[in-house]
Amino acid sequence: MTNLSPNGLQILRARYLHKTETPDELFQRVAKHLVAVEDKDHELWFDLFYGVMRKLEFLPNSPTLMNAGLPNGQLSACFVLPVEDNLEAIFTTLKNAALIHNSGGGTGYNFSKLRPKDDIITSSEGSSAGAIAFMKIYDTATEYVKQAGKRRGANMGILNVTHSDIEAFVTSKSDGVSLQNFNISVGITNAFIYAVEKNKNWQLVNPRTKKVSKTIQAKKLWNLIVEQAQKTGEPGLIFLDTINQDNRLPKQGEIYCTNPCGEVPLFDFESCNLGSINLTKMVVHDGKKNDIDWKKLEKTISIAIRFLDNVISSNYYLLPNIKHITMANRKIGLGVMGWAELLIILGIPYASEKAVELAEVLMKFIQEKSHSASGNLAQIRGCFPSWNESTYAPNTLLRNATCNSIAPTGSISVIADTSYSIEPLYALAYKRTGILDDKTQIEINSIFLEKMKSLGLWTKEIQDEVIVNGSIQNIKHIPKEIKKIFETSLEIPAKYHLLHQKVFQKYTDNAVSKTINLASNTSAKEISEIYNTAWKYGLKGITVYRNGSRANQILQPCGVNLKDKCS
């Protein structure tokens, strides 16, 4: 199989391999589990599924790698659970979340049905603790229930912008200590954006009584949101109206929530299975230059769509409700990783119109071929059971209600030794902390290193500069065109972060998880402009992160702590 990087091997041994299992045996285990649902040609499909994983051309989400082949193996990464406004329902959901986290999945919740803090509880003549208090209970439970016994669970907490507790929710992580197992986002509506633009008042509503509890200036609430995002990176925004305009199953109701990183909007109890194609493996050299290998990409898409559809059929479902809606809609999310490195291989700067144009062509191709593969499966296996209720009926046959999603690809990018998702390179050399308990991984980008050596530019001076600062922009004798290609995340204007997310979202059924990385001196005003632009672009969600705004930052330039060398 393809040689694994030391960091990839380390993470596989820590989280994924069973006892004496080798990486090759892991991929065989997963392929064997998935071909069991095939009616025929078992050897053919085993070879194809095993082959794309073994060559690191495609990898599924972590629970599939961890749990395939185990008794009661739960293979899905993403879940949304309802939070109803009564004590029994709140703690039933907490129990279900614990089971999901223990199996390797992450959970999203919208807490907007909960009555606000200090609201009356008629049955006891007491008062409500409010949404944030219950979020803290969920957060504490998450701390002690590890995903698949390997890591703490991940949560998304959403509160709608109309909720009485929204101001307290927006500032709930400002102390840097609370809700550390949650990503939090405000559920934004078009009406709220219009109220901000026109400087109108905004009504907050008690969800129990449906009556207005408070009237505030919409712009004041907006400013509070962006100031907190500037301070801590949260809350992000979830654009609920945009999500529901694109809802393939409107007859099943509105969607109010997403998975923990925002790339999959889901109904209550729905789950989704994700996987990503490694774009650095989709390259062909014609003797003069590198180009995308479109034929190989199409073949890999076809294999990956069938792979993910098989995950749904071979999965163990922890709850009957989850099984029912997941099997009815059969949502999958095929995405990509290695986009930044693909651009480098092709000699295209991330911060360029050429890169944005290629992103649109690429993702359009991926979506079209994904739908084609799902359509072919529908001819063989039938459409997803709720197809008649979908916007695809009566003319477009599909096996899956959604086919594409751009996930963060955190762990699987490390295994595949490539860049995260559609993100630019964070730095040319950096420390990765917090993904393996207290272990730190050090990394110099291998494509950068190879390029520097091929140009005869890898000197002790450059090595030292890159190790400390993660950048080559201040090294005078490196050609400008090389500097441009190797611009890192914080050196790329927010404009291009947003444009990349926009064009990938245009051809993505679900949503795009992307972080707009910002320099430490970024102002709240700039973040306000980014958030507003995201809404205008039709994004389904937006997250920013101002460098250094959290104490426990997963990716850090090596110079943050020079005792940990990157060489």
Side-chain angles (χ1 to χ4, degrees):
M1 65 172 286
T2 302
N3 289 332
L4 291 159
S5 69
N7 287 341
L9 275 171
Q10 185 184 43
I11 202 168
L12 280 170
R13 287 168 180 158
R15 288 187 182 166
Y16 296 85
L17 301 181
H18 294 176
K19 295 182 179 178
T20 59
E21 190 177 55
T22 66
D24 196 60
E25 289 168 340
L26 180 158
F27 298 138
Q28 291 183 44
R29 164 171 56 81
V30 175
K32 182 179 179 182
H33 182 81
L34 296 184
V35 298
V37 301
E38 294 283 346
D39 293 331
K40 58 183 180 179
D41 298 328
H42 287 77
E43 288 187 13
L44 168 67
W45 288 109
F46 175 88
D47 289 343
L48 291 172
F49 292 161
Y50 167 60
V52 292
M53 290 186 288
R54 177 178 61 86
K55 297 171 189 172
L56 303 178
E57 294 169 349
F58 163 84
L59 289 175
N61 52 218
S62 290
T64 300
L65 294 174
M66 292 172 176
N67 299 332
L70 290 177
N72 300 336
Q74 194 291 109
L75 311 181
S76 303
C78 307
F79 298 80
V80 160
L81 295 176
V83 184
E84 302 293 337
D85 189 34
N86 66 79
L87 205 61
E88 182 179 357
I90 289 167
F91 282 94
T92 297
T93 292
L94 179 58
K95 178 195 74 175
N96 293 337
L99 294 173
I100 289 168
H101 290 169
N102 192 54
S103 74
T107 46
Y109 323 86
N110 189 316
F111 291 92
S112 298
K113 290 183 179 180
L114 297 186
R115 66 193 70 191
K117 186 177 186 298
D118 298 328
D119 192 42
I120 189 170
I121 300 176
T122 54
S123 61
S124 65
E125 298 184 352
S127 59
S128 170
I132 297 162
F134 286 113
M135 287 178 68
K136 289 180 177 178
I137 292 171
Y138 280 41
D139 183 67
T140 300
T142 302
E143 186 74 26
Y144 295 103
V145 180
K146 292 188 175 183
Q147 288 185 321
K150 303 290 186 181
R151 53 181 176 168
R152 290 195 302 274
N155 299 300
M156 168 66 86
I158 295 173
L159 200 69
N160 292 353
V161 74
T162 52
H163 195 281
S164 300
D165 285 345
I166 190 64
E167 292 166 292
F169 175 83
V170 168
T171 59
S172 62
K173 295 187 71 171
S174 63
D175 60 6
V177 176
S178 300
L179 301 175
Q180 290 301 296
N181 299 300
F182 268 92
N183 295 324
I184 65 168
S185 287
V186 177
I188 297 289
T189 61
N190 291 346
F192 176 68
I193 299 290
Y194 297 144
V196 173
E197 289 179 343
K198 295 175 182 178
N199 201 21
K200 289 189 172 183
N201 286 337
W202 184 249
Q203 293 179 336
L204 304 184
V205 177
N206 181 327
R208 180 183 64 84
T209 64
K210 308 295 188 291
K211 294 180 179 179
V212 176
S213 58
K214 185 179 180 181
T215 299
I216 61 174
Q217 286 184 309
K219 188 166 285 187
K220 182 180 177 183
L221 178 54
W222 176 265
N223 289 341
L224 181 67
I225 291 168
V226 298
E227 285 163 8
Q228 286 302 309
Q230 192 261 356
K231 180 180 177 182
T232 69
E234 295 185 83
L237 306 183
I238 298 294
F239 298 114
L240 296 173
D241 290 326
T242 306
I243 285 171
N244 283 292
Q245 286 163 14
D246 200 32
N247 181 3
R248 269 52 170 183
L249 293 156
K251 292 181 181 179
Q252 292 188 17
E254 292 192 8
I255 295 175
Y256 296 103
C257 197
T258 74
N259 71 316
C261 293
E263 72 270 21
V264 191
L266 295 170
F267 295 111
D268 288 346
F269 291 111
E270 205 170 18
S271 66
C272 189
N273 305 297
L274 308 177
S276 297
I277 290 172
N278 181 355
L279 294 174
T280 66
K281 302 293 185 181
M282 304 295 129
V283 177
V284 64
H285 188 74
D286 64 5
K288 295 181 180 178
K289 61 182 179 62
N290 294 319
D291 200 358
I292 294 174
D293 189 336
W294 297 102
K295 288 183 179 179
K296 182 178 181 180
L297 178 57
E298 181 176 0
K299 181 181 179 182
T300 307
I301 291 166
S302 180
I303 295 167
I305 292 292
R306 190 170 187 130
F307 182 112
L308 293 173
D309 189 66
N310 283 14
V311 170
I312 296 172
S313 299
S314 64
N315 205 348
Y316 173 75
Y317 294 93
L318 296 165
L319 300 171
N321 289 347
I322 293 174
K323 181 175 183 179
H324 173 75
I325 192 168
T326 302
M327 296 288 276
N329 298 341
R330 301 190 73 87
K331 289 182 179 178
I332 57 175
L334 177 63
V336 299
M337 54 185 165
W339 170 238
E341 292 191 343
L342 173 67
L343 289 174
I344 292 168
I345 291 168
L346 300 179
I348 302 172
Y350 192 100
S352 68
E353 293 301 320
K354 189 175 181 180
V356 175
E357 289 167 5
L358 180 61
E360 184 162 5
V361 171
L362 175 74
M363 197 61 215
K364 183 180 181 183
F365 180 89
I366 291 172
Q367 186 182 56
E368 287 176 351
K369 300 306 178 184
S370 296
H371 284 202
S372 177
S374 183
N376 291 338
L377 280 178
Q379 298 275 10
I380 301 166
R381 298 174 173 176
C383 293
F384 58 95
S386 61
W387 177 80
N388 284 324
E389 303 174 3
S390 77
T391 57
Y392 296 116
N395 298 317
T396 304
L397 301 181
L398 282 176
R399 177 67 172 164
N400 314 96
T402 63
C403 293
N404 301 113
S405 184
I406 305 295
T409 71
S411 297
I412 63 170
S413 282
V414 181
I415 296 168
D417 192 25
T418 193
S419 54
Y420 296 120
S421 185
I422 63 166
E423 302 286 0
L425 298 183
Y426 172 73
L428 301 177
Y430 57 83
K431 298 182 299 184
R432 186 188 294 113
T433 66
I435 65 167
L436 290 171
D437 296 324
D438 59 348
K439 294 184 177 67
T440 296
Q441 290 190 337
I442 306 300
E443 188 164 301
I444 296 181
N445 184 269
S446 57
I447 293 178
F448 163 72
L449 194 59
E450 183 180 325
K451 184 69 173 179
M452 289 296 102
K453 288 180 177 178
S454 71
L455 294 172
L457 293 172
W458 190 242
T459 64
K460 181 68 166 55
E461 175 196 353
I462 290 177
Q463 177 178 302
D464 291 345
E465 174 73 14
V466 169
I467 285 173
V468 173
N469 295 316
S471 171
I472 57 172
Q473 300 306 311
N474 294 324
I475 302 174
K476 293 181 180 179
H477 61 273
I478 291 181
K480 288 182 179 179
E481 60 271 20
I482 300 299
K483 287 183 178 181
K484 187 67 178 173
I485 289 170
F486 286 104
E487 284 181 331
T488 58
S489 186
L490 298 175
E491 294 159 352
I492 290 169
K495 167 188 173 181
Y496 283 102
H497 283 273
L498 285 164
L499 285 171
H500 280 259
Q501 186 169 350
K502 177 187 179 184
V503 294
F504 274 98
Q505 180 62 77
K506 184 177 179 180
Y507 295 105
T508 297
D509 304 339
N510 286 299
V512 175
S513 175
K514 180 170 182 352
T515 300
I516 312 299
N517 286 107
L518 302 169
S520 58
N521 62 353
T522 302
S523 68
K525 181 181 178 182
E526 290 171 293
I527 291 172
S528 177
E529 291 170 358
I530 290 166
Y531 275 2
N532 190 253
T533 301
W535 174 74
K536 289 178 179 176
Y537 279 176
L539 304 186
K540 294 180 180 178
I542 182 72
T543 304
V544 301
Y545 182 72
R546 185 177 60 81
N547 197 45
S549 59
R550 293 182 199 164
N552 299 316
Q553 187 166 307
I554 291 175
L555 299 181
Q556 302 174 12
C558 295
V560 170
N561 189 347
L562 289 174
K563 69 183 179 65
D564 293 324
K565 296 296 183 183
C566 282
S567 55

